Amino acid sequence: MSDLHKALGDISSIRKQLANTTEFRGYGAATLAATGGFAGLAAIAQAYWVPDPVHHLAAYLAVWVATAIVCAALTGVQMYTRTRRMHSGLSDEMLRMAVVQFLPSAGAGLLLTAVLMSFAPTVTWMLPGLWQVIFSIGIFSSCRFLPRAMSAAGAWYLATGLGCLSLAGNRALSPWTMGVAYGVGQLLVAGVLYVNAEGEGDEV
């Protein structure tokens, strides 16, 4: 039995090594482009329903948190089904690797939002910029198993996040600081995936 356990352990280690050196193809360009469209729709919804986010922070958060949940659910479902098709035997390891790379950033963004809302509501105008910077860190962390050009998307979110913070006030809560950043950013991500998929004869 000890030899069997050792053999199974060796197989597991080999699978993890293969996953660590394989480009992840679980993200689909069409789905990521759709999330950019959702960001644009959320910006329009905010402009219409929450024209004064400074005095209605709960409503502002409701719009963008709901959008984030919908986009994350859509991406997660598609990523699971696509990874099963594209990576077959390595699908579990590839999914685990993708989640582990991005989960710390997502958790940090959630906790940061809760802390600022609870203990420092006067600086909640910083949230859009901080969300974008944190998102860029998640992308940079994932770049090692994604197409190299994906670093451009990370740079975009870092630049827009810092630009948003430079507004230094309630202007940072404008619907377009989020709508443009994530709308364009997700289309950029989708574009990189699309070009890479076409170059390798992959499905979109």
Side-chain angles (χ1 to χ4, degrees):
M1 289 299 291
S2 60
D3 290 340
L4 176 59
H5 290 157
K6 183 178 183 302
L8 291 175
D10 290 341
I11 292 172
S12 178
S13 296
I14 292 171
R15 290 167 67 89
K16 289 178 181 178
Q17 287 297 322
L18 285 173
N20 286 331
T21 57
T22 301
E23 183 178 301
F24 183 65
R25 297 183 181 179
Y27 297 121
T31 300
L32 272 298
T35 62
F38 282 127
L41 291 175
I44 294 171
Q46 182 196 327
Y48 185 77
W49 283 306
V50 196
D52 185 20
V54 177
H55 298 102
H56 298 90
L57 283 172
Y60 173 85
L61 282 179
V63 169
W64 289 107
V65 170
T67 302
I69 290 172
V70 170
C71 290
L74 178 65
T75 303
V77 170
Q78 191 263 355
M79 184 172 67
Y80 177 82
T81 56
R82 182 180 168 89
T83 302
R84 291 292 182 187
R85 290 198 312 272
M86 303 301 294
H87 294 290
S88 59
L90 286 176
S91 60
D92 289 340
E93 287 78 6
M94 298 299 291
L95 277 171
R96 189 178 301 111
M97 181 178 62
V99 171
V100 166
Q101 290 294 320
F102 217 95
L103 192 59
S105 294
L110 180 63
L111 293 173
L112 182 63
T113 300
V115 168
L116 290 187
M117 287 295 293
S118 299
F119 303 106
T122 58
V123 295
T124 47
W125 62 265
M126 299 176 68
L127 281 173
L130 292 174
W131 287 336
Q132 292 162 42
V133 170
I134 290 171
F135 198 75
S136 77
I137 294 172
I139 292 177
F140 283 129
S141 296
S142 303
C143 275
R144 68 183 184 85
F145 64 91
L146 292 174
R148 291 185 178 181
M150 195 61 72
S151 59
W156 164 262
Y157 280 111
L158 179 59
T160 58
L162 294 176
C164 191
L165 289 172
S166 73
L167 295 176
N170 296 331
R171 290 178 300 171
L173 296 175
S174 162
W176 308 114
T177 57
M178 288 286 287
V180 171
Y182 282 94
V184 174
Q186 293 304 91
L187 289 177
L188 177 58
V189 170
V192 171
L193 293 173
Y194 180 79
V195 171
N196 186 72
E198 282 208 323
E200 297 188 2
D202 198 355
E203 61 179 272
V204 178

